[in-house]
Every structure is written in structure tokens, then in C-alpha cells.
Amino acid sequence: MLSDDELARIREEQEETERWRRYSCHVVAEMLEACAICGAVREKEHLNRCQWCDDTYFCKDGLCAPQHRADVHADVAYWTW
């Protein structure tokens, strides 16, 4: 049978692990975002943010940026290509 000190240590470890889990998921969520076109979840450094939409990201590489502009901002896309 475990002593009171051992039980207290185990409880403390579990509380610390749970606290780390709660905070770490928010940290990871701040680093990741999904592309509005292809749906790929990437680090924000690999995505561009749309200057006209609120909170819309698309891939830096590939055709996601032109496709977003053509679908959502067709009048602007004509002048930026």
C-alpha cells in the first residue's frame, strides 16, 4: 500500500501533467492554421493571410492563393495576375 507522501506526489504529478496538457494545446493551436482552399493544416509560417478577408489563410506555395483570389476576390484577382 502507498504511503500518504507517495499518494500526494502522484496527485501532484497528475495535476502538473494535466496543467501542461491544457496550456500546450493552446500553444500548438497558435502555431497551426488550416488552408481555406485545400484544407491542409500547416504551420503559420507556410501560409499567407488574406489581406481582404478576416482570419483566412492559404498556402504560400502552389495554386491556393490564386484560387482563393479568383473565387472570393474576382475583381482583385484580374489585376493581380
Side-chain angles (χ1 to χ4, degrees), residues 3-81:
S3 68
D4 289 339
D5 291 338
E6 291 172 335
L7 288 173
R9 184 182 53 80
I10 291 171
R11 263 190 232 109
E12 187 176 317
E13 286 177 6
Q14 287 178 342
E15 289 172 1
E16 188 64 33
T17 301
E18 185 60 33
R19 187 177 307 123
W20 170 251
R21 232 181 253 142
R22 264 195 313 263
Y23 291 121
S24 65
C25 71
H26 293 292
V27 170
V28 170
E30 285 295 318
M31 295 171 52
L32 300 176
E33 193 64 51
C35 175
I37 301 301
C38 68
V41 176
R42 299 174 183 237
E43 293 178 355
K44 285 186 178 179
E45 64 188 30
H46 297 290
L47 298 170
N48 281 333
R49 186 172 184 188
C50 180
Q51 59 189 12
W52 299 289
C53 297
D54 291 333
D55 204 28
T56 301
Y57 292 86
F58 44 82
C59 299
K60 283 184 180 179
D61 301 329
L63 298 175
C64 292
Q67 185 175 348
H68 171 75
R69 288 188 192 111
D71 292 346
V72 181
H73 311 290
D75 52 341
V76 175
Y78 176 77
W79 297 105
T80 58
W81 283 352

